[in-house]
């Protein structure tokens, strides 16, 4: 063997230029990759809520000098807190392939339960417990009808929507129950920094919901039931229990939202606000949750709820007639629904 002949171990390797090194220009490569991805509709479908929210903020801040003021931002966060909680609740139901049409009526029942208990002399916290319990009963009925009674979710929740609406009107004789409580006043006006208490409460709910959905076995079961109930059952998932639990969970969150609603308007209003129902579903659609089930998201619906809140607030600041606001929301939701066809599977 020629000792001077180069071996494979000592053979000189060609010097690679900076452009060939994997770490040569990662920021540039990431930008190029992002631009390439943005050319596909799937990118816009996956990020409809954050992109739409940014666009609205930019547009309304240009058209209205008061949109980005601290006072208006605080007002939007307070107004959006209820919808954020309802959107999170609806996300769990829709992930299983169901839908809860009774969620706004459930919130109304919670508010009426709180108002009646408070008028009867109960302190704030026991009255709040009555609100949560009243709402949770509606969710339990929904879950049992769907999981055990084999009633379709649309019909079951439509039925409880009517029952809860009628019960709220009967229990109050159709009249609002005025409520004055120092705890409710604190909940309405209190803040940490510039973040109001209602929004902080909604943020805590969203974080807990994300942990439950993506870091627990129960969350995995929710997604499995929505993806394929037969396959989930074959793998040992108790699908009826999962379905009952999601409706109970959604109703309990609606009961929590009812406290924010009472705190905001200062009364337990027996007439339901169907805008919350429609917008909670719209926020979930904007957030990228599949209406056919099996595709879970929490951050997306939260951003979708904030987007709808910002849209309504911006149109109000621009003095756009309230008759056009549902039209604008509807167009946004239809566009988001069309984009869901291009979501990555």
């Amino acid at each position: 063997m020629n000792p001077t002949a180069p071996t494979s171990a000592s053979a000189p390797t060609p010097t690679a230029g900076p452009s060939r090194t994997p770490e040569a220009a990662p920021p540039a490569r990431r930008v190029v990759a992002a631009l390439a991805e943005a050319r596909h509709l799937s990118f816009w479908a996956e990020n409809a809520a954050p992109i739409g929210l940014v666009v609205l903020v930019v547009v309304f801040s240009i058209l209205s000098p008061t949109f980005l003021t601290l006072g208006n931002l605080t007002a939007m966060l307070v107004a959006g807190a209820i919808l954020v909680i309802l959107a999170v609740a609806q996300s769990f139901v829709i992930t299983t392939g169901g839908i809860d049409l009774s969620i706004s009526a459930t919130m109304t029942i919670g508010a009426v339960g709180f108002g009646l208990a408070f008028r009867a002399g109960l302190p704030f916290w026991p009255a709040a417990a009555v609100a949560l319990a009243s709402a949770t009963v509606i969710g339990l009925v929904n879950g049992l009808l769907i999981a055990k009674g084999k009633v379709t979710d649309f019909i079951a929740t439509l039925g409880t929507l009517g029952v809860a609406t009628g019960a709220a009107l009967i229990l109050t004789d159709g009249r609002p129950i005025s409520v004055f409580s120092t705890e409710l006043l604190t909940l309405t006006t209190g803040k940490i920094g510039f973040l109001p208490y209602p929004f902080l409460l909604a943020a805590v709910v969203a974080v807990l919901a994300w942990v439950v959905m993506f870091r627990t076995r129960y969350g995995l079961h929710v997604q499995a039931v929505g993806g394929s109930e037969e396959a989930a059952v074959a793998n040992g998932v108790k699908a009826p229990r999962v379905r009952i639990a999601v409706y109970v969970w959604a109703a309990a969150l609606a009961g929590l939202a009812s406290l924010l609603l009472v705190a905001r308007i200062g009364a337990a209003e027996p007439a339901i606000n169907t805008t919350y129902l429609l917008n909670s579903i719209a926020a979930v659609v904007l957030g990228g949750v599949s209406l056919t089930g099996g595709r879970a998201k929490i951050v997306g619906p939260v951003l979708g709820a904030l987007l709808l809140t910002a849209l309504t607030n911006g149109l109000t600041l621009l003095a756009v007639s309230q008759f056009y606001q549902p039209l604008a929301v509807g167009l946004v939701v239809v566009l988001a629904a069309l984009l869901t066809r291009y979501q990555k599977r």
Side-chain angles (χ1 to χ4, degrees), residues 15-76:
T15 304
S19 60
R20 297 190 182 184
T21 307
E23 299 81 16
R29 277 209 302 267
R30 283 198 293 266
V31 170
V32 172
L35 291 175
E37 187 179 358
R39 284 194 255 172
H40 301 286
L41 283 175
S42 62
F43 172 83
W44 303 97
E46 295 289 334
N47 300 282
I51 292 173
L53 182 58
V54 170
V55 170
L56 282 183
V57 169
V58 171
V59 170
F60 284 136
S61 62
I62 294 173
L63 297 177
S64 174
T66 60
F67 183 77
L68 285 182
T69 59
L70 183 60
N72 189 59
L73 288 175
T74 301
M76 278 196 293

Side-chain angles (χ1 to χ4, degrees), residues 157-192:
T157 57
L158 183 62
T160 52
L161 163 65
V163 171
T165 301
L169 293 171
I170 291 170
L171 290 172
T172 61
D173 201 22
R175 299 172 183 171
I177 302 173
S178 298
V179 176
F180 178 78
S181 164
T182 55
E183 290 86 355
L184 286 180
L185 184 62
T186 301
L187 182 60
T188 306
T189 60
K191 61 179 68 174
I192 297 178

Side-chain angles (χ1 to χ4, degrees), residues 7-8 31 39 45 192 202 209 243 255 262 311 344:
T7 62
S8 60
V31 170
R39 284 194 255 172
I192 297 178
R243 291 196 180 277
V262 173
L311 177 61
K344 294 177 181 178

Side-chain angles (χ1 to χ4, degrees), residues 38 41 46 54 62 82 122 141 156 169 187 190 208 250 252 259 269 296-297 309-310:
L41 283 175
E46 295 289 334
V54 170
I62 294 173
I82 296 174
L122 288 181
V141 171
L169 293 171
L187 182 60
L208 292 176
L259 299 178
E269 175 62 58
K297 285 191 176 183
T309 303

Side-chain angles (χ1 to χ4, degrees), residues 106-134:
T106 302
M107 182 171 65
T108 300
I109 280 290
V112 167
F114 177 86
L116 291 174
F118 196 82
R119 189 170 66 181
L122 288 181
F124 172 80
W125 291 110
V130 171
L132 293 175
S134 303

Side-chain angles (χ1 to χ4, degrees), residues 38-268:
R39 284 194 255 172
H40 301 286
L41 283 175
S42 62
F43 172 83
W44 303 97
E46 295 289 334
N47 300 282
I51 292 173
L53 182 58
V54 170
V55 170
L56 282 183
V57 169
V58 171
V59 170
F60 284 136
S61 62
I62 294 173
L63 297 177
S64 174
T66 60
F67 183 77
L68 285 182
T69 59
L70 183 60
N72 189 59
L73 288 175
T74 301
M76 278 196 293
L77 292 178
V78 171
I82 296 174
L83 186 55
V84 166
I85 293 176
L86 295 181
V88 169
Q90 198 76 263
S91 295
F92 273 80
V93 175
I94 291 178
T95 298
T96 64
I99 196 167
D100 189 353
L101 299 180
S102 67
I103 197 165
S104 59
T106 302
M107 182 171 65
T108 300
I109 280 290
V112 167
F114 177 86
L116 291 174
F118 196 82
R119 189 170 66 181
L122 288 181
F124 172 80
W125 291 110
V130 171
L132 293 175
S134 303
T136 302
V137 167
I138 303 297
L140 180 60
V141 171
N142 282 335
L144 290 174
L145 285 174
I146 294 165
K148 300 296 185 181
K150 303 302 179 183
V151 180
T152 61
D153 52 281
F154 185 90
I155 296 300
T157 57
L158 183 62
T160 52
L161 163 65
V163 171
T165 301
L169 293 171
I170 291 170
L171 290 172
T172 61
D173 201 22
R175 299 172 183 171
I177 302 173
S178 298
V179 176
F180 178 78
S181 164
T182 55
E183 290 86 355
L184 286 180
L185 184 62
T186 301
L187 182 60
T188 306
T189 60
K191 61 179 68 174
I192 297 178
F194 71 94
L195 296 176
Y197 283 168
F199 180 75
L200 290 173
L201 179 59
V204 169
V205 168
V207 170
L208 292 176
W210 186 91
V211 171
V212 170
M213 182 67 84
F214 300 109
R215 291 293 183 268
T216 66
R217 178 177 295 181
Y218 171 72
L220 180 62
H221 289 177
V222 169
Q223 297 173 63
V225 169
S228 173
E229 184 170 343
E230 293 79 7
V233 171
N235 282 278
V237 176
K238 294 179 172 58
R241 292 186 183 180
V242 172
R243 291 196 180 277
I244 292 172
V246 295
Y247 284 97
V248 170
W249 163 255
L253 288 181
L256 180 63
S258 73
L259 299 178
L260 298 183
L261 182 63
V262 173
R264 188 180 179 201
I265 66 178

